[in-house]
């Protein structure tokens, strides 16, 4: 259940900003609010990153003073996590544990976390509803869930704009949003589907954001060649992210929820 790699970039670096900035800003604000309303004793929150891989978000959360446990099935990803945390000077606040959602409570405690990150996981588990229920059960009362998953509409639009119309139609009509044998993503979701999964797990949806609405469609040469274009595109992404009209064409969907 490892999160797909984005080339080792972190949310604070410019090259990663177009892909991760919206998620990170929303997540950081949610962690700040949770800290203010009753975080763990001793300062900072107890955060679980389920499927956190090499720690793209975990290390950034640790930089804020939170204690982060990363659960991932890949030993290589956990080794990279250890190295990244050490380089960032937060090794004492980041712990890697080998495991997955199916056996989550073999390695972590139920109801032990103020916040849980579940990024790039639901696309790959056999039963998304069961996986999300397990993740939700790791939260303390009023704990925060950050859920990031592949969006159906973004994949359909991308295949169509690339001239792969049959694949676009296949993704549109397939129950899992899968466009064919060469598709590396087993499952995609609409905003409504993710929200239903979240509420079915006993959580209250507080916000939905579209991620990478434009960034995956704009040719890189336009972003790199024009002065200020990257910052302008990042601002456009941030403005569009919260608007429901753009959720249907986002490459990814980010759902923020709270345990009732």
């Amino acid at each position: 259940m490892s999160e797909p790699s984005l080339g080792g970039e972190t949310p604070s670096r410019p090259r990663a900003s177009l892909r991760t900035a919206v998620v990170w800003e929303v997540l950081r604000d949610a962690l700040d609010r949770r800290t203010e309303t009753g975080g763990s004793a001793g300062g900072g929150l107890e955060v679980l990153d389920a499927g956190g891989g090499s720690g793209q978000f975990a290390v950034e959360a640790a930089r804020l003073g939170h204690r982060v446990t990363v659960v991932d099935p890949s030993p290589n990803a956990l080794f990279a996590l250890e190295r990244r945390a050490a380089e960032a000077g937060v090794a004492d606040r980041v712990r890697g544990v080998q495991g997955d959602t199916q056996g989550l409570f073999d390695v972590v405690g139920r109801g032990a976390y103020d916040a849980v990150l579940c990024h790039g996981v639901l696309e790959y588990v056999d039963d998304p509803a069961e996986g999300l229920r397990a993740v939700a059960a790791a939260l303390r009362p009023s704990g925060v869930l950050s859920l990031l998953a592949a969006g159906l509409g973004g994949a359909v639009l991308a295949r169509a704009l690339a001239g792969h119309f049959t694949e676009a139609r296949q993704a549109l009509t397939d129950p899992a949003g899968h466009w064919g044998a060469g598709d590396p993503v087993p499952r995609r979701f609409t905003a409504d589907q993710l929200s239903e999964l979240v509420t079915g797990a006993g959580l209250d949806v507080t916000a939905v954001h579209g991620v990478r609405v434009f960034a995956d469609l704009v040719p890189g040469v336009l972003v790199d060649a024009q002065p200020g274009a990257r910052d302008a595109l990042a601002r456009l992404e941030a403005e569009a992210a919260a608007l429901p009209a753009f959720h249907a064409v986002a490459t990814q969907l980010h759902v923020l929820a709270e345990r009732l």
Side-chain angles (χ1 to χ4, degrees):
M1 67 179 185
S2 296
E3 182 184 350
S5 171
L6 293 180
E9 297 165 345
T10 61
S12 60
R13 294 179 184 167
R15 272 189 191 279
S17 63
L18 294 179
R19 289 176 176 267
T20 63
V22 168
V23 178
W24 176 242
E25 290 301 319
V26 171
L27 175 57
R28 184 174 60 185
D29 288 347
L31 294 176
D32 288 347
R33 289 194 301 272
R34 177 60 180 148
T35 301
E36 293 171 358
T37 58
S40 302
L45 304 175
E46 294 293 341
V47 178
L48 172 65
D49 192 346
S54 62
Q56 181 183 28
F57 285 90
V59 168
E60 295 300 312
R63 287 181 189 271
L64 299 178
H66 306 304
R67 295 171 294 279
V68 188
T69 299
V70 177
V71 177
D72 198 277
S74 169
N76 290 336
L78 294 176
F79 177 78
L81 165 70
E82 182 179 352
R83 184 177 58 200
R84 175 180 279 181
E87 291 174 350
V90 295
D92 60 329
R93 293 197 294 274
V94 177
R95 179 173 71 104
V97 181
Q98 191 170 2
D100 56 30
T101 55
Q102 188 173 1
L104 185 62
F105 298 113
D106 293 335
V107 294
V108 301
R110 292 179 181 270
Y113 296 92
D114 301 293
V116 174
L117 282 56
C118 184
H119 295 175
V121 173
L122 289 194
E123 299 93 322
Y124 301 96
V125 298
D126 293 334
D127 186 337
E130 181 182 353
L132 194 52
R133 283 194 295 270
V135 167
L139 282 169
R140 293 169 174 162
S142 300
V144 174
L145 170 70
S146 174
L147 175 65
L148 183 67
L152 171 62
V156 173
L157 185 60
R159 301 317 291 171
L161 291 178
H164 304 301
F165 306 121
T166 300
E167 292 176 350
R169 184 176 180 276
Q170 173 67 19
L172 185 62
T173 58
D174 184 73
H178 196 68
W179 52 253
D183 190 347
V185 180
R187 187 182 292 107
R188 295 182 177 86
F189 304 88
T190 65
D192 286 344
Q193 288 171 336
L194 284 180
S195 295
E196 289 174 7
L197 286 170
V198 169
T199 56
L203 306 178
D204 182 37
V205 175
T206 58
V208 179
H209 291 85
V211 181
R212 292 156 60 185
V213 175
F214 307 105
D216 290 354
L217 302 177
V218 176
V221 64
L222 295 181
V223 178
D224 296 332
Q226 299 182 24
R230 181 176 297 276
D231 289 340
L233 181 54
R235 289 193 295 270
L236 176 61
E237 289 278 354
E239 291 291 336
L243 299 178
F246 292 99
H247 296 169
V249 295
T251 298
Q252 293 178 305
L253 294 165
H254 183 234
V255 177
L256 203 65
E258 183 176 304
R259 184 172 180 180
L260 302 175

